[in-house]
């Protein structure tokens, strides 16, 4: 399996921006579709965004559409989550996920260790 490491720990005020990165190592990065998920203590993990291995198709949770953007650079084995107009309710631990099946993102595959994002004034 591929190993994933997230970066971009951040504390930001409402309305601010952050960019998270997830770097993959191990098996070929282009085998994998990628997704971002987030979790708040006491709640289930929720889907945030996903991107196909080519980068040609993306999906977003409704609450982040127009504010977040998922991209990938296959030459750098990295997937990004650009987060703009952040809100306090975006506060969570964010995880990246890799899966060879797009429909299986979030239901297995490889996971990173998570990175904390805090949006607060």
């Amino acid at each position: 399996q591929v190993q994933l490491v997230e970066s971009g720990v951040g504390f930001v005020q409402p309305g601010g921006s952050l960019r998270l990165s997830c770097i993959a190592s191990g098996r070929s990065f282009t085998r994998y579709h990628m997704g971002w998920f987030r979790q708040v203590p006491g709640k289930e993990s929720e889907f945030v965004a996903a991107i196909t291995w080519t980068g040609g198709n993306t999906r977003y949770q409704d609450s982040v559409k127009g504010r977040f953007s998922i991209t990938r650079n296959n030459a750098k084995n990295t997937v990004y989550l650009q987060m703009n107009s952040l809100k306090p309710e975006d506060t969570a631990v964010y995880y990246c996920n890799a899966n060879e099946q797009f429909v299986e993102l979030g239901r297995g595959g490889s996971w990173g260790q998570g990175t904390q994002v805090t949006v607060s004034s």
Side-chain angles (χ1 to χ4, degrees):
Q1 287 195 343
V2 67
Q3 289 76 48
L4 305 174
V5 178
E6 298 100 340
S7 62
V9 174
F11 182 96
V12 64
Q13 292 187 338
S17 297
L18 282 175
R19 189 177 80 159
L20 304 182
S21 301
C22 174
I23 299 174
S25 61
R27 301 187 76 183
S28 175
F29 185 56
T30 54
R31 295 173 64 99
Y32 298 95
H33 307 292
M34 300 296 297
W36 286 97
F37 295 78
R38 64 188 182 186
Q39 189 168 26
V40 175
K43 294 187 177 181
E44 292 187 357
S45 174
E46 66 173 2
F47 167 75
V48 176
I51 189 167
T52 54
W53 74 269
T54 63
N57 285 291
T58 58
R59 296 288 186 274
Y60 296 93
Q61 184 198 110
D62 285 347
S63 70
V64 307
K65 284 181 180 177
R67 300 189 298 122
F68 290 14
S69 176
I70 185 170
T71 57
R72 65 190 292 162
N73 184 330
N74 287 340
K76 294 185 177 180
N77 291 351
T78 303
V79 61
Y80 305 97
L81 184 67
Q82 178 66 43
M83 304 185 291
N84 300 325
S85 302
L86 282 160
K87 303 176 181 180
E89 51 264 43
D90 295 317
T91 296
V93 178
Y94 284 71
Y95 299 87
C96 63
N97 176 238
N99 202 299
E100 294 185 54
Q101 301 296 325
F102 190 77
V103 294
E104 293 297 322
L105 280 167
R107 289 185 268 185
S110 299
W111 290 89
Q113 82 286 357
T115 187
Q116 176 70 46
V117 172
T118 302
V119 184
S120 176
S121 55

